[in-house]
Amino acid sequence: MADDNLLDAFWAVSRQLRKATRQGMDPLGVAPSQARALRMLRHHGSMRLGELSERLRIAPRSATEIVDGLQERGWCVREPDPTDRRATVVVLTEAGQDIGRAIRRVQVKHAEEYFAALSAAERSELSALLGKLTAAEG
């Protein structure tokens, strides 16, 4: 069945990209879960742990563990929420911003290398098709 082949091909591409990115991040000493949290905080700014866990689609306890790891590395801090002093927000430090930018450079480099097998027109078409699929989910 064509859909089975498409599904298998999609997962194979996903695995290859994750593997290349993970290998590229090894020298940075960043776990994939930490990279996702850093990306989310860089993109959306400071947020409460509950919001971070929702955006990452993980359990609140897992988000706490990830943030603990980021905080131990000096990549984020917890600060009082300016709108509710009883709550805290997670804020990236300058070092967190720096490592987030380094991670993004690794990801972009590996994506460029991986997708170089496609012509510019094919990359554009693939991007449009993937955009259509992600928009249909929401």
Side-chain angles (χ1 to χ4, degrees), residues 9-29:
F10 180 83
W11 285 116
V13 166
S14 179
R15 277 191 305 277
Q16 290 170 345
L17 281 171
R18 278 195 320 270
K19 180 181 177 185
T21 300
R22 199 170 37 251
Q23 289 172 341
M25 286 193 307
D26 280 348
L28 300 176

Side-chain angles (χ1 to χ4, degrees), residues 30-81:
V30 181
S33 60
Q34 292 175 326
R36 287 182 63 229
L38 287 163
R39 184 181 71 237
M40 196 63 62
L41 289 164
R42 284 187 69 232
H43 182 49
H44 295 287
S46 304
M47 64 183 76
R48 290 183 183 183
L49 272 170
E51 181 182 358
L52 181 61
S53 71
E54 287 175 20
R55 288 184 181 268
L56 293 173
R57 297 181 181 183
I58 60 175
R61 178 72 185 128
S62 297
T64 298
E65 291 173 4
I66 291 168
V67 169
D68 287 347
L70 296 177
Q71 193 165 4
E72 287 171 12
R73 309 279 305 266
W75 295 338
C76 74
V77 293
R78 288 175 170 98
E79 295 181 350
D81 184 331

